[in-house]
Amino acid sequence: MVTIPSRGLLRRIAYIWLGLRVHFDAFKMFPGRYLTATKWWLLRKRVRARGQFAPILSGSPRAYEYWALRNERHVSCPRTDADIKLFALIGAGGNLTKLSATLQSLATSGVEPIVVGEPANIAIRSLAARHEFAKAQWLIPMEAGDLIASQAGAAYRMAIQQAEPSCTVLYADDDKLDQFGHRKDPYFKPDWNPELQQHHDILTGACAICADSAALEEAAEQSDWAFFLVAKAAQQGSVAHIPAVLHHRAARKPAPAEVARLSISDYLSPASVIIPIRNRVDLLRTCISGLRSTDYPELEIIVANNDSDDAATLAYLRTLAGEGVTILDQPGPFNYSTINNKAVNAARGELLCLMNNDIEVLRSDWLAMMATQAQRRDVGAVGAQLLYPDGRIQHAGVVIGVGNAAGHAHRFLQPEAEGYFRRHALPQFVSAVTGACLVVRKDRFIAVGGLDESNFAVAFNDVDLCLKLNARGWQSFYEPRALLVHHESVSRGHDADPVGAARFATELAALQRIWRTNEIVDPYHHPMLSRASEQFALDLTATMMPR
């Protein structure tokens, strides 16, 4: 008698087999990196191994299929208020085959379809005349060929029930459908980031909006009625994110290859640049040369000298002092926070620029761009895009929780690469930026107590500062159009000695105690992206649980 395996067993076998193929793909594409990650795993250096495995496993063409199969077992449809109506507005585009697929997916999700045929303006005006739209209703703008997940209706209804009364837009994660209907290219999106939305529309086609007949009447006059409705709804209320893949799209707009040039503010506040040093006159000369080539109306340079004893460095400092540069002698053990805080007390500028001595200026307008953003009412610390000397990205914002601490987003990526939906190339709010080059208003720096000298003498003081500013409503901001080279920590060296390692461990423990970085998910990252990787890699071990 032949025993027929259960469907659950077959799925388990398929899951294991697919996982093996993902590992084989990673080994085939990156043999050296795969073997190195395996070595660290066998040596029980699990954090390091996960950090190296995550981006190469995520690079497998089967990685998302593997992740989706894992999460399919954990999907459940929560109970929701059935009285909450959901309408899908479908741009038909004349393709009946695609429209049929869309209607089938809606039939299983409890969402009422409304086809917007041609001409669209007549169809939308007719919709606006329906009696139920006299008051606002929840609409899901879609295109023919787009599908929604079977649990999408329930997920949106639950989110509507739990949302603030001011909420007018709920958006979800999405993926794309290839020509065979297979899912690929998931976009696990950040929580609401209005600056990012200005440069790359992540809402339209993957959201539900609250709109009434008046909004529909206005939309009827627009060529891109869906985008208009979404943008108007976002302006009229708050926006919330559902961190789940609810939309499977036939197409999505790609992120822009380039961002429009920033319009520099008509008024740029006086700025003070603070540079801590200890010897390394070669680096300081390059840094000062870049500052002197910087196009900025009123710029003060402060060099905070921490026990330099090199004759050439001391001679150069005397020369700088004669040329109007402020030299502050700050002897004693290296404490980055103390050195900068004392220099801030002496600074005359309304803006502060904390700068490492290993920064190399590439463009004369870098500070004007950072200052323009730092002067905004809602912005705290502003960070630039920092490159390694070989041209790869060193810093494009900081992600809280990576390594259970904080990591540099998109590190080692080539700037011209697609990366993760071109996020490295787009201005956006972030949770933190690096103190290697950070611009902030002096009054806001002082308002949050400056850098924490007792808990973060060397590491994580910039992260702590940004999080304190965020808590006051002054959000950290990443400005990629300000471009600099960072010869990372070349003057101070790395913490390989036992004393440095012990200090770092103490500062890491303080960061986790104060900000719970070993627990929280960065709102500008995603729970389905690996906490072990700075490359926005899909976490193949993560499970999408119902909210």
Side-chain angles (χ1 to χ4, degrees), residues 15-30:
Y15 176 72
I16 294 172
W17 173 243
L18 193 54
L20 292 173
R21 295 180 75 185
V22 167
H23 276 267
F24 178 76
D25 289 340
F27 175 73
K28 185 177 179 181
M29 293 185 295
F30 313 102

Side-chain angles (χ1 to χ4, degrees), residues 321-450:
E323 296 171 349
V325 174
T326 300
I327 309 298
L328 296 179
D329 287 320
Q330 298 194 34
F334 182 81
N335 184 315
Y336 179 88
S337 297
T338 299
I339 291 170
N340 278 281
N341 285 344
K342 288 183 177 179
V344 167
N345 292 334
R348 298 191 301 270
E350 296 173 20
L351 290 177
L352 304 172
C353 176
L354 309 187
M355 176 176 279
N356 282 13
N357 65 332
D358 52 2
I359 290 291
E360 180 181 345
V361 172
L362 297 178
R363 292 177 46 169
S364 63
D365 59 354
W366 67 275
L367 183 55
M369 287 191 283
M370 296 179 74
T372 295
Q373 303 292 17
Q375 291 177 166
R376 289 169 47 172
R377 184 175 59 183
D378 54 345
V379 169
V382 178
Q385 182 177 120
L386 302 183
L387 304 179
Y388 286 112
D390 65 5
R392 295 178 300 166
I393 289 175
Q394 186 266 334
H395 172 266
V398 169
V399 177
I400 304 302
V402 169
N404 289 328
H408 293 286
H410 315 288
R411 183 145 67 158
F412 304 127
L413 188 68
Q414 294 289 349
E416 65 276 9
E418 171 66 20
Y420 196 73
F421 298 92
R422 296 286 295 171
R423 287 277 294 278
H424 64 284
L426 303 178
Q428 60 199 275
F429 290 112
V430 291
S431 286
V433 294
T434 178
C437 184
L438 178 157
V439 174
V440 64
R441 281 176 46 172
K442 182 179 179 180
D443 58 350
R444 293 182 177 179
F445 181 92
I446 293 172
V448 299

